């Protein structure tokens, strides 16, 4: 099961055109498939493809072939995600859900524009946290790690959470993070010291930073689910 998911809002006509492109790609690749627009009119509308692979077909080859054909024929900005191969019709729904989750995470993350498609293992930690986003234990972890800084930002209208996220995304490179935040280095360093005071954490400690980074990734998944 695959799910070409646009990475930006599209109108119904563009989705229909993408569906036609996907159907033509399946036909050219000699894959029997059902193609249609899912959640049409909703904020998470996408094109869904349920393909039947020939016996002994190599999954990766088939997906690469179809994705290459779609990319050649379509100028749309989209992410293609694939669920697990299933042997029974009763498992199709599970594969559809998996593909939807993969598409959601890949479309929101720093996707590689040259990558033809994504599967769950490709998303690594971000994918795992997205699947666990409804787990109360994960939500408790996020609140424990980030609660003070989230409350601080909410009360003062500050941006410490964003600054912390930039710092960790830049591999704790303060100079690069300050540039991305459009702040002078002294101003950025002062924000980092404030974050340390608010969280009672040492941002030079690798384990502390790893824990905070995981919490931020989990927060992103939880916030998306509630939006």
């Amino acid at each position: 099961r695959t799910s070409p998911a646009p990475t930006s809002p599209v109108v119904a006509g563009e989705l229909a055109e993408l569906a036609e492109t996907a159907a033509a790609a399946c036909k050219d690749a000699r894959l029997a498939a059902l193609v249609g627009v899912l959640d049409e009119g909703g904020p998470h509308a996408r094109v869904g493809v349920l393909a039947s692979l020939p016996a002994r077909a190599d999954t990766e080859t088939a997906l690469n072939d179809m994705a290459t054909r779609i990319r050649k024929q379509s100028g749309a900005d989209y992410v293609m995600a694939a669920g697990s191969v299933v042997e029974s019709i009763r498992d199709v729904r599970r594969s559809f859900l998996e593909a939807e989750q993969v598409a959601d995470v890949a479309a929101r993350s720093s996707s590689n524009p040259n990558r033809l498609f994504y599967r769950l293992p490709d998303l690594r930690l971000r994918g795992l946290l997205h699947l666990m986003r409804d787990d109360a234990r994960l939500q408790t972890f996020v609140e424990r790690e980030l609660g003070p800084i989230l409350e601080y930002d909410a009360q003062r209208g500050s941006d410490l959470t964003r600054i912390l996220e930039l710092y960790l995304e830049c591999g704790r490179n303060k100079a690069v993070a300050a540039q991305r935040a459009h702040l002078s280095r002294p101003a950025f360093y002062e924000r980092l010291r404030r974050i340390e005071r608010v969280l009672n954490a040492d941002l030079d400690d690798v384990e502390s930073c790893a824990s905070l980074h995981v919490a931020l990734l989990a927060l992103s998944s939880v916030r998306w689910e509630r939006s």
Side-chain angles (χ1 to χ4, degrees):
R1 190 272 186 186
T2 62
S3 179
T7 59
S8 56
V10 293
V11 298
E14 291 174 328
L15 276 175
E17 183 177 342
L18 182 57
E20 290 179 4
T21 298
C26 291
K27 183 177 180 181
D28 292 343
R30 298 182 180 179
L31 285 177
L34 296 175
V35 182
V37 178
L38 307 177
D39 299 325
E40 188 170 7
H44 305 299
R46 70 200 70 205
V47 174
V49 179
L50 176 61
S52 175
L53 298 179
R56 300 190 186 88
D58 180 76
T59 304
E60 297 297 315
T61 300
L63 287 172
N64 271 303
D65 187 15
M66 183 171 64
T68 300
R69 293 174 187 276
I70 292 175
R71 178 156 294 186
K72 277 185 178 180
Q73 299 176 35
S74 173
D77 183 18
Y78 68 88
V79 166
M80 178 170 163
S84 299
V85 175
V86 295
E87 302 292 337
S88 170
I89 191 67
R90 65 175 176 270
D91 294 323
V92 167
R93 182 175 181 275
R94 172 175 57 80
S95 183
F96 264 58
L97 289 173
E98 181 182 314
E100 288 172 3
Q101 291 166 345
V102 171
D104 291 336
V105 176
R108 294 171 56 249
S109 63
S110 302
S111 302
N112 180 352
N114 297 319
R115 193 179 188 94
L116 290 173
F117 62 90
Y118 288 84
R119 303 181 78 174
L120 190 57
D122 300 322
L123 302 180
R124 312 186 74 176
L125 177 59
R126 192 182 293 270
L128 174 64
L129 293 173
H130 183 75
L131 293 178
M132 295 174 61
R133 66 192 181 278
D134 294 326
D135 193 309
R137 292 168 296 182
L138 181 63
Q139 295 171 9
T140 299
F141 169 75
V142 171
E143 292 169 3
R144 183 173 65 248
E145 291 289 317
L146 301 174
I149 196 172
L150 293 173
E151 184 177 355
Y152 187 97
D153 281 347
Q155 291 178 350
R156 294 168 175 78
S158 54
D159 62 347
L160 294 188
T161 304
R162 184 182 71 88
I163 294 298
L164 175 61
E165 190 170 15
L166 278 175
Y167 173 65
L168 297 175
E169 285 179 350
C170 292
R172 298 165 58 221
N173 186 316
K174 296 177 183 178
V176 174
Q179 185 176 24
R180 285 189 55 188
H182 305 292
L183 293 171
S184 66
R185 292 190 187 183
F188 188 83
Y189 297 166
E190 171 55 33
R191 278 176 168 79
L192 291 182
R193 287 192 291 270
R194 198 180 312 163
I195 290 170
E196 289 183 318
R197 292 195 298 269
V198 171
L199 292 177
N200 190 27
D202 180 3
L203 294 184
D204 288 325
D205 180 73
V206 175
E207 187 172 340
S208 293
C209 287
S211 185
L212 289 169
H213 198 186
V214 170
L216 284 167
L217 291 175
L219 176 65
S220 178
S221 292
V222 171
R223 279 178 168 171
W224 181 89
E225 178 67 12
R226 292 174 179 173
S227 64

